[in-house]
Amino acid sequence: MAPVAAPSPARILVVGGGGRENALAWALNRSHGVEGVWVAPGNGGTSELPGCRQLAIPETDAEGLLQACRQLAIDLVVVGPEAPLAAGLADRLRAAGLAVFGPGADGARLEASKHWAKTLMQEAGVPTARHWRAECESEALDLLETHGRPLVVKADGLAAGKGVTVADTMEEARAAIRDIFDGRFGADAGAALVLEERTEGPEVSVFALTDGRDLVLLPPAQDHKRIGEGDTGPNTGGMGAYAPAPLLDAAGLEEVRQRVLEPTLEALRRRGIDYRGVIYAGLMLTEQGPSVIEFNCRFGDPECETLMPLLGAELATVLLACAQGRLAAAPPLAVSPLCSACVIAAAAGYPGSVRQGDVIHGGLQPGERLQLFHAGSRRDPDGMCRTSGGRVLALVAQAEDFDTAFQQVYTGLEQVRFEGMLYRRDIGHQVRSR
Ligand code: AMP
Ligand code: GLY
C-alpha cells in the first residue's frame, strides 16, 4: 500500500501580535497547501501581508478565537505567546476538536513556573544550576545569607522576561528579592522566587518542534538581550539574533537533544503531559557542557524572525503533524544552509515606557532573502502605519556568510525610519569580521 501523504493545513490561525507572529504568518503562508492565514490580533505588518487576514480578537479571548475557528473552518491553530498558553487556550481549543500547535496549561508550566521546571529537570537528570525556592521575603533573605554570595534571583511566575537579576553584590541580590515580593513584576510573579547558582558561559537558544514524542531541532540561534551595544544596560525581550550559531555544531546540538530535550519530554510524559508545540531551551555553554538557564513553551522573539526564513515549505505540514501527534510520519523539514541575521528597531525609551503613534516611513523592498517583520506597529484607519510598542520592526536577511547578511540588514535599516528609532549596531559581533 502506498504511504498516505501527510496532510497540509489549508487554513491556519496564528494567535498573537508580535514580530514572532508576523514571521510565523509569513512562513506558514508560503508553506505547501496553505490557502489562507489569519492572525489574531496581528499588527501593522500582518495586515499588509498578502494572503493574510487580521481578526480583531485579543489573544486572551479563548471563546472569541474558538468561534472564529469554527466560522473560518480553521485546520490548524498556532499559538505564538506564552500567556495564552499558560492560561489554557490550547486546552480549550483542543477540547473543541481543533488541531493546536502549542502546549496546554500543564506543559506551559515549563515556562510559567521556574520552580516547577527546575524540579522536572532535576528529576530528569537535565543539567541545570542548583536552585532554592522561597515564598516570602524573609525566607529568601535567609537563604541568601546562608549561601553568603550573590545568587541569581528569579521571580517564579511569568514576568515578561524581566523577573531575573544576575546580581554582582549581596546588596543587589537583596534589592531584587525585595522588588519581587513588592509585586513589581505583578501578583503572579510576586508570589514566590527562585534563587539559583550563577553559571558562566556563552548563551544559545535551541528550539525543538515536538508532538510529545518525536523532536525536530531547528538551527541554534543567539539572541542579544541587553539594550546597549557591547551587551550593556538593562535586559530587553531581545534586540537581534542570528542563526545558525556556530557555538553549537552538529555534535553539540545532538548532545542537547540527548541530555536536555529527550529527557525533558520523557519527564513530561511521566507526568501525563502530552506536550505539542515548541520547547525552547535557553542554554549556557559551561565548561561542563550545556546547562539549561530556562525553558520556554513558545518560539523566542526575535529568534523566530531569524529562523523562519531558513525553513522549508514543509513547515505547515510539520506543525500540523506536531499538533496531531504524528510527527514521525511528517516529511523532513528542509533547513537552508544560509546564515540568517536579524536586527530589531525599537522605540525611544525601550525597554522602559515608550512613545507611541509615530508614523513608520520607509520604502524598503523585501526580497527573497530580505524580510521586514513588524512587532509593535498598527495600521490606522487612515492607512498609516504607526508605532505601538517597544520593539517596532525586525529586519532579517540571509546570505552565504554573516558579514553579508548583517550588511544587508544594516543597509535595509537605513531605508526605514520613525521618530526616535533605535537599534544596536553590533548585533552578531560574535560572527562578524567587520
Ligand atoms: P531568563 O529570564 O531565565 O532567561 O534569564 C535572563 C538572563 O539572566 C539569561 O539570559 C542569563 O543571561 C541570565 N541568567 C539566568 N540564570 C542565570 C544563571 N544561573 N547564571 C548566570 N546567568 C543567568
Ligand atoms: N528572545 C528571548 C525570548 O523570546 O524569550
Side-chain angles (χ1 to χ4, degrees):
M1 206 168 71
V4 181
S8 307
R11 301 160 72 86
I12 303 178
L13 171 66
V14 175
V15 177
R20 168 181 50 211
E21 289 76 25
N22 190 166
L24 282 166
W26 172 85
L28 290 166
N29 199 36
R30 58 178 207 161
S31 286
H32 294 314
V34 174
E35 288 166 14
V37 175
W38 285 260
V39 187
N43 59 38
T46 54
S47 67
E48 292 294 287
L49 200 60
C52 182
R53 274 149 287 186
Q54 307 267 114
L55 298 173
I57 307 174
E59 60 197 37
T60 45
D61 180 5
E63 297 313 312
L65 290 168
L66 173 57
Q67 209 177 8
C69 288
R70 285 183 171 140
Q71 273 164 6
L72 297 166
I74 293 294
D75 303 306
L76 171 68
V77 183
V78 178
V79 183
E82 65 277 16
L85 291 167
L89 176 62
D91 304 292
R92 177 71 187 101
L93 299 179
R94 262 186 209 116
L98 287 155
V100 184
F101 182 81
D106 53 4
R109 292 187 80 187
L110 216 44
E111 173 163 2
S113 169
K114 302 244 184 223
H115 176 65
W116 190 87
K118 296 286 283 190
T119 310
L120 184 122
M121 282 188 255
Q122 272 170 348
E123 265 173 41
V126 170
T128 188
R130 290 208 307 153
H131 84 288
W132 301 267
R133 182 172 193 268
E135 286 184 3
C136 68
E137 191 173 311
S138 61
E139 189 187 359
L141 291 171
D142 284 350
L143 272 167
L144 187 69
E145 300 311 325
T146 309
H147 284 87
R149 58 184 182 282
L151 300 167
V152 177
V153 182
K154 302 186 171 187
D156 189 28
L158 289 179
K162 295 180 185 124
V164 175
T165 303
V166 184
D168 287 319
T169 63
M170 291 293 276
E171 196 35 57
E172 257 183 87
R174 287 187 203 107
I177 289 172
R178 285 191 288 265
D179 276 351
I180 287 175
F181 288 113
D182 282 352
R184 228 182 99 184
F185 304 104
D188 174 41
L193 61 69
V194 163
L195 296 175
E196 202 174 283
E197 209 70 83
R198 181 165 177 171
T199 44
E200 302 287 342
E203 289 178 53
V204 63
S205 312
V206 173
F207 300 88
L209 313 179
T210 182
D211 65 349
R213 200 155 288 277
D214 290 293
L215 292 158
V216 171
L217 271 60
L218 304 186
Q222 195 162 34
D223 186 13
H224 297 62
K225 288 208 166 101
R226 304 298 192 94
I227 186 72
E229 286 168 15
D231 294 319
T232 53
N235 259 331
T236 70
M239 293 301 289
Y242 63 88
L247 277 170
L248 261 189
D249 58 9
L253 204 55
E254 190 50 35
E255 185 185 1
V256 172
R257 173 197 289 274
Q258 288 178 17
R259 291 186 60 196
V260 174
L261 294 163
E262 286 177 352
T264 299
L265 261 191
E266 208 178 299
L268 286 165
R269 280 201 302 272
R270 271 201 304 275
R271 293 180 181 215
I273 296 173
D274 186 12
Y275 191 105
R276 301 179 183 193
V278 188
I279 295 186
Y280 160 175
L283 301 167
M284 196 168 267
L285 304 179
T286 71
E287 280 172 6
Q288 290 76 42
S291 172
V292 177
I293 293 285
E294 63 165 352
F295 279 126
N296 293 310
C297 62
R298 37 105 195 152
F299 284 108
D301 188 341
E303 292 97 321
C304 186
E305 293 93 307
T306 315
L307 288 167
M308 285 302 136
L310 296 178
L311 305 182
E314 307 79 16
L315 181 68
T317 311
V318 170
L319 297 195
L320 180 65
C322 288
Q324 294 180 331
R326 40 170 198 75
L327 183 54
L333 178 60
V335 178
S336 157
L338 293 175
C339 299
S340 188
C342 169
V343 175
I344 295 288
Y350 183 70
S353 60
V354 295
R355 40 184 283 166
Q356 301 191 9
D358 290 308
V359 175
I360 302 172
H361 302 276
L364 180 78
Q365 282 303 317
E368 188 45 39
R369 292 189 178 185
L370 182 70
Q371 302 82 31
L372 177 65
F373 298 127
H374 286 231
S377 83
R378 61 162 200 264
R379 182 105 18 205
D380 281 342
D382 61 6
M384 282 291 201
C385 197
R386 291 189 170 81
T387 63
S388 67
R391 292 187 293 174
V392 178
L393 302 171
L395 206 74
V396 194
Q398 298 77 46
E400 314 291 336
D401 57 78
F402 281 115
D403 278 339
T404 314
F406 276 105
Q407 191 188 4
Q408 277 159 4
V409 170
Y410 284 112
T411 307
L413 277 165
E414 286 166 16
Q415 294 167 59
V416 288
R417 113 191 109 77
F418 53 86
E419 190 64 36
M421 172 167 131
L422 58 94
Y423 56 86
R424 276 180 61 170
R425 280 157 216 277
D426 68 339
I427 303 296
H429 57 88
Q430 304 91 331
V431 290
R432 279 158 63 187
S433 64
R434 53 186 148 89

mmCIF file of all heavy atoms in Angstrom, residues 82-83 86-87 108-109 111-114 133-134 154-160 180-193:
data_model
loop_
_atom_site.group_PDB
_atom_site.id
_atom_site.type_symbol
_atom_site.label_atom_id
_atom_site.label_comp_id
_atom_site.label_asym_id
_atom_site.label_seq_id
_atom_site.Cartn_x
_atom_site.Cartn_y
_atom_site.Cartn_z
ATOM 1 N N GLU A 82 3.395 33.110 25.242
ATOM 2 C CA GLU A 82 3.278 32.197 26.384
ATOM 3 C C GLU A 82 2.026 32.440 27.223
ATOM 4 O O GLU A 82 1.466 31.485 27.780
ATOM 5 C CB GLU A 82 4.527 32.260 27.270
ATOM 6 C CG GLU A 82 4.800 33.596 27.975
ATOM 7 C CD GLU A 82 5.527 34.608 27.090
ATOM 8 O OE1 GLU A 82 5.567 34.407 25.857
ATOM 9 O OE2 GLU A 82 6.035 35.611 27.628
ATOM 10 N N ALA A 83 1.587 33.709 27.318
ATOM 11 C CA ALA A 83 0.496 33.995 28.265
ATOM 12 C C ALA A 83 -0.786 33.217 27.930
ATOM 13 O O ALA A 83 -1.360 32.571 28.812
ATOM 14 C CB ALA A 83 0.245 35.497 28.352
ATOM 15 N N ALA A 86 -0.241 29.548 28.856
ATOM 16 C CA ALA A 86 -0.283 29.310 30.300
ATOM 17 C C ALA A 86 -1.714 29.431 30.825
ATOM 18 O O ALA A 86 -2.084 28.794 31.809
ATOM 19 C CB ALA A 86 0.637 30.285 31.024
ATOM 20 N N ALA A 87 -2.539 30.234 30.136
ATOM 21 C CA ALA A 87 -3.931 30.410 30.571
ATOM 22 C C ALA A 87 -4.851 29.307 30.036
ATOM 23 O O ALA A 87 -6.045 29.320 30.317
ATOM 24 C CB ALA A 87 -4.435 31.779 30.120
ATOM 25 N N ALA A 108 2.772 24.205 29.625
ATOM 26 C CA ALA A 108 3.270 25.587 29.633
ATOM 27 C C ALA A 108 3.899 25.948 30.975
ATOM 28 O O ALA A 108 4.587 26.966 31.088
ATOM 29 C CB ALA A 108 2.137 26.564 29.299
ATOM 30 N N ARG A 109 3.703 25.098 31.990
ATOM 31 C CA ARG A 109 4.360 25.358 33.287
ATOM 32 C C ARG A 109 5.873 25.313 33.154
ATOM 33 O O ARG A 109 6.587 25.846 33.993
ATOM 34 C CB ARG A 109 3.906 24.332 34.324
ATOM 35 C CG ARG A 109 2.464 24.492 34.680
ATOM 36 C CD ARG A 109 2.080 23.599 35.821
ATOM 37 N NE ARG A 109 2.495 24.174 37.092
ATOM 38 C CZ ARG A 109 2.398 23.540 38.254
ATOM 39 N NH1 ARG A 109 1.918 22.324 38.289
ATOM 40 N NH2 ARG A 109 2.779 24.132 39.362
ATOM 41 N N GLU A 111 7.496 26.991 31.316
ATOM 42 C CA GLU A 111 7.890 28.403 31.302
ATOM 43 C C GLU A 111 7.246 29.185 32.442
ATOM 44 O O GLU A 111 7.863 30.080 33.007
ATOM 45 C CB GLU A 111 7.497 29.053 29.958
ATOM 46 C CG GLU A 111 7.720 30.556 29.958
ATOM 47 C CD GLU A 111 7.740 31.183 28.576
ATOM 48 O OE1 GLU A 111 7.537 30.465 27.577
ATOM 49 O OE2 GLU A 111 7.970 32.405 28.503
ATOM 50 N N ALA A 112 6.011 28.841 32.776
ATOM 51 C CA ALA A 112 5.240 29.676 33.702
ATOM 52 C C ALA A 112 5.675 29.513 35.150
ATOM 53 O O ALA A 112 5.395 30.380 35.974
ATOM 54 C CB ALA A 112 3.751 29.381 33.555
ATOM 55 N N SER A 113 6.342 28.419 35.482
ATOM 56 C CA SER A 113 6.881 28.282 36.841
ATOM 57 C C SER A 113 8.324 27.800 36.790
ATOM 58 O O SER A 113 8.604 26.673 36.397
ATOM 59 C CB SER A 113 6.053 27.308 37.681
ATOM 60 O OG SER A 113 6.768 27.030 38.884
ATOM 61 N N LYS A 114 9.219 28.685 37.186
ATOM 62 C CA LYS A 114 10.651 28.327 37.159
ATOM 63 C C LYS A 114 10.901 27.160 38.102
ATOM 64 O O LYS A 114 11.696 26.273 37.793
ATOM 65 C CB LYS A 114 11.496 29.523 37.619
ATOM 66 C CG LYS A 114 11.289 30.756 36.772
ATOM 67 C CD LYS A 114 12.537 31.151 36.035
ATOM 68 C CE LYS A 114 12.318 32.440 35.268
ATOM 69 N NZ LYS A 114 12.862 32.422 33.931
ATOM 70 N N ARG A 133 13.863 27.546 46.446
ATOM 71 C CA ARG A 133 12.647 28.343 46.289
ATOM 72 C C ARG A 133 12.285 29.008 47.614
ATOM 73 O O ARG A 133 12.487 28.410 48.670
ATOM 74 C CB ARG A 133 11.503 27.427 45.852
ATOM 75 C CG ARG A 133 10.186 28.126 45.591
ATOM 76 C CD ARG A 133 9.201 27.126 44.986
ATOM 77 N NE ARG A 133 8.031 27.787 44.444
ATOM 78 C CZ ARG A 133 6.921 27.983 45.145
ATOM 79 N NH1 ARG A 133 6.853 27.581 46.394
ATOM 80 N NH2 ARG A 133 5.878 28.582 44.584
ATOM 81 N N ALA A 134 11.761 30.206 47.530
ATOM 82 C CA ALA A 134 11.301 30.882 48.743
ATOM 83 C C ALA A 134 9.956 31.540 48.485
ATOM 84 O O ALA A 134 9.707 32.056 47.397
ATOM 85 C CB ALA A 134 12.307 31.945 49.172
ATOM 86 N N LYS A 154 15.274 35.028 40.688
ATOM 87 C CA LYS A 154 14.264 34.910 39.618
ATOM 88 C C LYS A 154 12.862 34.851 40.201
ATOM 89 O O LYS A 154 12.592 34.026 41.075
ATOM 90 C CB LYS A 154 14.489 33.614 38.819
ATOM 91 C CG LYS A 154 15.855 33.501 38.188
ATOM 92 C CD LYS A 154 15.965 32.272 37.290
ATOM 93 C CE LYS A 154 17.264 32.316 36.517
ATOM 94 N NZ LYS A 154 17.366 31.258 35.505
ATOM 95 N N ALA A 155 11.978 35.696 39.694
ATOM 96 C CA ALA A 155 10.553 35.571 40.050
ATOM 97 C C ALA A 155 10.098 34.194 39.580
ATOM 98 O O ALA A 155 10.519 33.727 38.521
ATOM 99 C CB ALA A 155 9.748 36.667 39.359
ATOM 100 N N ASP A 156 9.246 33.535 40.356
ATOM 101 C CA ASP A 156 8.846 32.176 39.982
ATOM 102 C C ASP A 156 7.875 32.159 38.804
ATOM 103 O O ASP A 156 7.916 31.273 37.973
ATOM 104 C CB ASP A 156 8.226 31.460 41.191
ATOM 105 C CG ASP A 156 8.002 29.969 40.910
ATOM 106 O OD1 ASP A 156 8.754 29.405 40.095
ATOM 107 O OD2 ASP A 156 7.073 29.384 41.487
ATOM 108 N N GLY A 157 7.004 33.136 38.719
ATOM 109 C CA GLY A 157 5.967 33.130 37.674
ATOM 110 C C GLY A 157 6.363 33.941 36.455
ATOM 111 O O GLY A 157 7.486 34.432 36.358
ATOM 112 N N LEU A 158 5.424 34.082 35.506
ATOM 113 C CA LEU A 158 5.701 34.831 34.280
ATOM 114 C C LEU A 158 5.925 36.309 34.610
ATOM 115 O O LEU A 158 5.142 36.918 35.319
ATOM 116 C CB LEU A 158 4.516 34.726 33.307
ATOM 117 C CG LEU A 158 4.291 33.374 32.635
ATOM 118 C CD1 LEU A 158 3.071 33.457 31.725
ATOM 119 C CD2 LEU A 158 5.505 32.900 31.871
ATOM 120 N N ALA A 159 7.038 36.857 34.085
ATOM 121 C CA ALA A 159 7.346 38.261 34.368
ATOM 122 C C ALA A 159 7.811 38.967 33.104
ATOM 123 O O ALA A 159 8.614 39.892 33.156
ATOM 124 C CB ALA A 159 8.404 38.348 35.453
ATOM 125 N N ALA A 160 7.291 38.507 31.951
ATOM 126 C CA ALA A 160 7.612 39.117 30.654
ATOM 127 C C ALA A 160 9.120 39.277 30.454
ATOM 128 O O ALA A 160 9.584 40.283 29.932
ATOM 129 C CB ALA A 160 6.898 40.462 30.502
ATOM 130 N N ILE A 180 10.722 41.725 43.977
ATOM 131 C CA ILE A 180 9.782 40.671 43.587
ATOM 132 C C ILE A 180 8.628 40.602 44.576
ATOM 133 O O ILE A 180 7.460 40.595 44.183
ATOM 134 C CB ILE A 180 10.504 39.313 43.468
ATOM 135 C CG1 ILE A 180 11.375 39.326 42.207
ATOM 136 C CG2 ILE A 180 9.494 38.154 43.414
ATOM 137 C CD1 ILE A 180 12.243 38.122 42.010
ATOM 138 N N PHE A 181 8.952 40.612 45.874
ATOM 139 C CA PHE A 181 7.862 40.487 46.856
ATOM 140 C C PHE A 181 7.064 41.787 47.011
ATOM 141 O O PHE A 181 5.956 41.772 47.523
ATOM 142 C CB PHE A 181 8.398 39.961 48.190
ATOM 143 C CG PHE A 181 8.763 38.499 48.101
ATOM 144 C CD1 PHE A 181 10.084 38.080 48.213
ATOM 145 C CD2 PHE A 181 7.783 37.543 47.867
ATOM 146 C CE1 PHE A 181 10.417 36.736 48.109
ATOM 147 C CE2 PHE A 181 8.107 36.196 47.756
ATOM 148 C CZ PHE A 181 9.428 35.795 47.882
ATOM 149 N N ASP A 182 7.601 42.886 46.522
ATOM 150 C CA ASP A 182 6.819 44.134 46.489
ATOM 151 C C ASP A 182 5.804 44.111 45.353
ATOM 152 O O ASP A 182 5.033 45.050 45.181
ATOM 153 C CB ASP A 182 7.735 45.350 46.263
ATOM 154 C CG ASP A 182 8.446 45.734 47.545
ATOM 155 O OD1 ASP A 182 8.094 45.161 48.593
ATOM 156 O OD2 ASP A 182 9.367 46.571 47.487
ATOM 157 N N GLY A 183 5.856 43.059 44.526
ATOM 158 C CA GLY A 183 4.890 42.952 43.435
ATOM 159 C C GLY A 183 5.268 43.757 42.218
ATOM 160 O O GLY A 183 4.426 44.071 41.378
ATOM 161 N N ARG A 184 6.553 44.098 42.076
ATOM 162 C CA ARG A 184 6.958 44.923 40.942
ATOM 163 C C ARG A 184 6.747 44.243 39.602
ATOM 164 O O ARG A 184 6.639 44.885 38.572
ATOM 165 C CB ARG A 184 8.441 45.284 41.090
ATOM 166 C CG ARG A 184 8.689 46.748 40.875
ATOM 167 C CD ARG A 184 10.131 47.084 40.966
ATOM 168 N NE ARG A 184 10.712 47.191 39.641
ATOM 169 C CZ ARG A 184 11.989 47.411 39.431
ATOM 170 N NH1 ARG A 184 12.815 47.506 40.434
ATOM 171 N NH2 ARG A 184 12.456 47.515 38.213
ATOM 172 N N PHE A 185 6.719 42.914 39.594
ATOM 173 C CA PHE A 185 6.533 42.188 38.328
ATOM 174 C C PHE A 185 5.140 41.578 38.232
ATOM 175 O O PHE A 185 4.914 40.649 37.480
ATOM 176 C CB PHE A 185 7.609 41.111 38.188
ATOM 177 C CG PHE A 185 9.003 41.674 38.289
ATOM 178 C CD1 PHE A 185 9.753 41.512 39.438
ATOM 179 C CD2 PHE A 185 9.532 42.404 37.245
ATOM 180 C CE1 PHE A 185 11.017 42.064 39.537
ATOM 181 C CE2 PHE A 185 10.797 42.955 37.341
ATOM 182 C CZ PHE A 185 11.543 42.786 38.491
ATOM 183 N N GLY A 186 4.227 42.078 39.056
ATOM 184 C CA GLY A 186 2.855 41.583 39.008
ATOM 185 C C GLY A 186 2.622 40.547 40.104
ATOM 186 O O GLY A 186 3.563 39.991 40.666
ATOM 187 N N ALA A 187 1.350 40.318 40.393
ATOM 188 C CA ALA A 187 0.978 39.443 41.502
ATOM 189 C C ALA A 187 1.458 38.022 41.276
ATOM 190 O O ALA A 187 1.975 37.359 42.184
ATOM 191 C CB ALA A 187 -0.536 39.471 41.674
ATOM 192 N N ASP A 188 1.330 37.532 40.039
ATOM 193 C CA ASP A 188 1.703 36.147 39.748
ATOM 194 C C ASP A 188 3.194 35.945 39.993
ATOM 195 O O ASP A 188 3.614 35.030 40.696
ATOM 196 C CB ASP A 188 1.345 35.821 38.284
ATOM 197 C CG ASP A 188 1.839 34.440 37.872
ATOM 198 O OD1 ASP A 188 1.706 33.521 38.709
ATOM 199 O OD2 ASP A 188 2.363 34.293 36.759
ATOM 200 N N ALA A 189 4.012 36.861 39.419
ATOM 201 C CA ALA A 189 5.461 36.733 39.554
ATOM 202 C C ALA A 189 5.920 37.044 40.971
ATOM 203 O O ALA A 189 7.027 36.680 41.359
ATOM 204 C CB ALA A 189 6.153 37.654 38.553
ATOM 205 N N GLY A 190 5.078 37.709 41.765
ATOM 206 C CA GLY A 190 5.498 38.144 43.092
ATOM 207 C C GLY A 190 5.148 37.172 44.208
ATOM 208 O O GLY A 190 5.388 37.453 45.376
ATOM 209 N N ALA A 191 4.597 36.006 43.852
ATOM 210 C CA ALA A 191 4.158 35.070 44.888
ATOM 211 C C ALA A 191 5.302 34.237 45.450
ATOM 212 O O ALA A 191 5.250 33.774 46.586
ATOM 213 C CB ALA A 191 3.073 34.157 44.321
ATOM 214 N N ALA A 192 6.326 34.027 44.666
ATOM 215 C CA ALA A 192 7.449 33.196 45.106
ATOM 216 C C ALA A 192 8.643 33.506 44.224
ATOM 217 O O ALA A 192 8.502 34.096 43.142
ATOM 218 C CB ALA A 192 7.092 31.711 44.979
ATOM 219 N N LEU A 193 9.833 33.108 44.698
ATOM 220 C CA LEU A 193 11.002 33.285 43.839
ATOM 221 C C LEU A 193 11.935 32.086 43.935
ATOM 222 O O LEU A 193 11.775 31.213 44.795
ATOM 223 C CB LEU A 193 11.738 34.592 44.160
ATOM 224 C CG LEU A 193 12.336 34.824 45.553
ATOM 225 C CD1 LEU A 193 13.513 33.920 45.833
ATOM 226 C CD2 LEU A 193 12.779 36.272 45.654
#
